Amino acid sequence: MGLPLRITFKDNDYVYQIVNSKLIDQYTTEFDILLNGDKISLIKDEKKLWVQKDEVKSVDPELVHALGRSVSLRLRL
């Protein structure tokens, strides 16, 4: 795991970590993050939007998309 990363979404700060960033490249369509200690799987859907893969613990879909975009920009996906 890498360093903790921060994102501000709707005036709230969130801390997340990418679980295994060494396996992520420009063709990656799925990855895991730790958001405030909870593991969340993100997947790119057919519309090229980031969504939550399994909704065991549901997170705001807009936040999930913002997290996916943040990781995409940082790792050049």
Side-chain angles (χ1 to χ4, degrees):
M1 273 190 282
L3 296 171
L5 304 170
R6 296 181 59 150
I7 186 171
T8 301
F9 180 75
K10 292 187 179 178
D11 295 330
N12 291 320
D13 289 330
Y14 298 93
V15 177
Y16 68 96
Q17 288 180 307
I18 303 168
V19 173
N20 197 349
S21 62
K22 294 183 184 199
L23 296 177
I24 296 176
D25 63 8
Q26 64 185 359
Y27 304 109
T28 301
T29 59
E30 181 177 345
F31 58 88
D32 296 327
I33 62 170
L34 289 175
L35 177 65
N36 295 334
D38 297 327
K39 186 175 179 181
I40 297 173
S41 296
L42 301 177
I43 189 167
K44 194 179 272 192
D45 68 2
E46 62 276 351
K47 297 178 186 175
K48 306 286 186 192
L49 298 175
W50 291 102
V51 294
Q52 190 174 354
K53 182 177 179 183
D54 52 351
E55 296 190 21
V56 174
K57 181 168 181 164
S58 185
V59 179
D60 181 7
E62 292 179 7
L63 174 59
V64 170
H65 183 65
L67 288 166
R69 284 185 41 87
S70 175
V71 172
S72 294
L73 293 171
R74 290 176 190 272
L75 299 180
R76 307 235 183 223
L77 297 181

